[in-house]
Amino acid sequence: MRAAKYIWQWRSIAKQAFTQTSIVAKFLCLLHVTNNYLCSSTLVYGPSMLPTLNISGDVLLVEHISHRLGKLGPGDVVLVRSPVDPRKIVTKRIVGMEGDRITFLLDPSSNDSCNIIVVPKGHVWIQGDNMYASSDSRHFGPVPYGLIQGKVFMRVWPPHSFGSLEQ
Amino acid sequence: MGSGNILWSLAKNYFTVGLIGLTISDRYASVVPVRGTSMSPTFNPQTSTFWGSSIDDCVLVEKFCLEKYKFSHGDVVVFSSPSNHKERLIKRIIGLPGDWIGTPHSHDVVKVPEGHCWVEGDNSLSSMDSISFGPDLLESVYAALHISWFVLM
């Protein structure tokens, strides 16, 4: 008689635990889908996008819809997986899409030599706004479109520069 | 009123199942059909059978490798093509970063740059791979990121 009561209590506890776990699991799935397919936030830091982004760190809102629909164009600030180290994600601006002819300065701090390149099919040319301290397509070449992770549309931190990225 | 409730709960169930399925297929494993003969005889060993068209092989791909991006020689990977990000290709990794690869057609020796890898199809006659588009970007591999494990059928 006692054993039956214990078994019944144990089953109700297990059932409650299962319900709570499934709620948490569903919430995590929703979080994953939102972060990967809708909108997410990132902390970015570094000097390569001065003066647009601060060197010490900004929190940006990134949307993941435009690059899947193919609606990116020159001038967009995007998050891109780095071609030299796939574990890093870098923030740069798209300067040219496929087929565009790009003229760029190789090393602006030392000389004025520039190169001209045509962006191959399926690739984009990305450059940091701060061309003196940015390692971008001028160093590792055009980047395949599939490496783009998302487009930045808003900055939320620091609070005095809350809003879109345009000056 | 009753049918509205039933429809609503049905829609909620479908939505939940869809979310969970999408998360699992993004993070853990998914099933991918193999088209074409660039990997025969490993996949799709015959081009056409007696009764017209053959059934494509389906493979189970796992995504755990994308955490650390650690691949090894001989792994079969699915990735998006560098020239068309919507197209997915499936090939075998022949060279990892730092390897020297000899290309048969141009009698040239190429060093695979950092962050890239060299992929080739098993059926070298009909395969669009690193021989045609240079060292394939490791990151494009990571963009689609899957390693096939089993042939399901």
Side-chain angles (χ1 to χ4, degrees), chain A residues 32 37 81 83 86-87 144 147, chain B residues 26-27 68-69 137 139 142:
Chain A
H32 167 91
Y37 292 94
R81 200 173 282 280
R87 285 168 282 236
L147 288 183
Chain B
D26 274 353
R27 284 184 163 254
K68 294 271 171 26
Y69 283 104
L137 283 205
E139 304 69 20
Y142 302 134

Side-chain angles (χ1 to χ4, degrees), chain A residues 25-26 28-30 32-34 36-37 67-70 81-87 98 121-123 140 142-147 149, chain B residues 15-16 18-20 22-24 26-27 66-70 80-86 114-116 137-143 145:
Chain A
K26 284 185 214 167
L28 289 179
C29 289
L30 182 67
H32 167 91
V33 169
T34 312
N36 282 23
Y37 292 94
H67 76 100
R68 285 184 211 271
L69 298 178
R81 200 173 282 280
S82 161
V84 297
D85 184 2
R87 285 168 282 236
E98 66 186 13
K121 183 169 180 312
H123 290 62
F140 47 68
V143 163
Y145 190 92
L147 288 183
Q149 307 289 302
Chain B
F15 183 67
T16 312
L19 278 189
I20 296 178
L22 195 58
T23 307
I24 291 182
D26 274 353
R27 284 184 163 254
L66 302 176
E67 303 289 318
K68 294 271 171 26
Y69 283 104
K70 272 205 87 53
S80 32
S81 158
S83 31
N84 181 1
H85 69 106
K86 295 194 180 119
E114 197 50 55
H116 294 50
L137 283 205
L138 208 55
E139 304 69 20
S140 309
V141 173
Y142 302 134
L145 348 148

Side-chain angles (χ1 to χ4, degrees), chain A residues 23-45:
Chain A
I23 291 179
V24 171
K26 284 185 214 167
F27 173 70
L28 289 179
C29 289
L30 182 67
L31 199 63
H32 167 91
V33 169
T34 312
N35 267 2
N36 282 23
Y37 292 94
L38 292 176
C39 173
S40 66
S41 64
T42 351
L43 174 70
V44 300
Y45 53 90

Side-chain angles (χ1 to χ4, degrees), chain B:
Chain B
M1 192 63 206
S3 70
N5 276 345
I6 293 176
L7 277 181
W8 174 242
S9 74
L10 211 62
K12 271 202 313 191
N13 281 348
Y14 279 144
F15 183 67
T16 312
V17 167
L19 278 189
I20 296 178
L22 195 58
T23 307
I24 291 182
S25 96
D26 274 353
R27 284 184 163 254
Y28 303 118
S30 75
V31 176
V32 168
V34 179
R35 304 227 165 80
T37 56
S38 66
M39 284 293 287
S40 68
T42 315
F43 302 129
N44 290 349
Q46 67 270 9
T47 51
S48 69
T49 58
F50 177 70
W51 49 86
S53 66
S54 64
I55 304 177
D56 289 334
D57 285 348
C58 278
V59 294
L60 181 73
V61 295
E62 59 100 353
K63 319 264 179 118
F64 297 106
C65 54
L66 302 176
E67 303 289 318
K68 294 271 171 26
Y69 283 104
K70 272 205 87 53
F71 294 100
S72 36
H73 294 97
D75 283 344
V76 181
V77 292
V78 179
F79 58 96
S80 32
S81 158
S83 31
N84 181 1
H85 69 106
K86 295 194 180 119
E87 208 180 291
R88 290 201 294 191
L89 306 176
I90 179 165
K91 303 274 178 266
R92 195 181 291 271
I93 291 186
I94 305 289
L96 291 179
D99 291 350
W100 290 89
I101 305 283
T103 54
H105 308 281
S106 62
H107 301 286
D108 220 355
V109 182
V110 168
K111 183 169 185 195
V112 178
E114 197 50 55
H116 294 50
C117 62
W118 187 271
V119 295
E120 279 184 24
D122 286 349
N123 179 9
S124 47
L125 291 173
S126 72
S127 156
M128 186 179 96
D129 49 30
S130 284
I131 297 176
S132 36
F133 44 69
D136 202 290
L137 283 205
L138 208 55
E139 304 69 20
S140 309
V141 173
Y142 302 134
L145 348 148
H146 329 206
I147 294 212
S148 83
W149 261 29
F150 317 102
V151 176
L152 287 189
M153 58 173 144

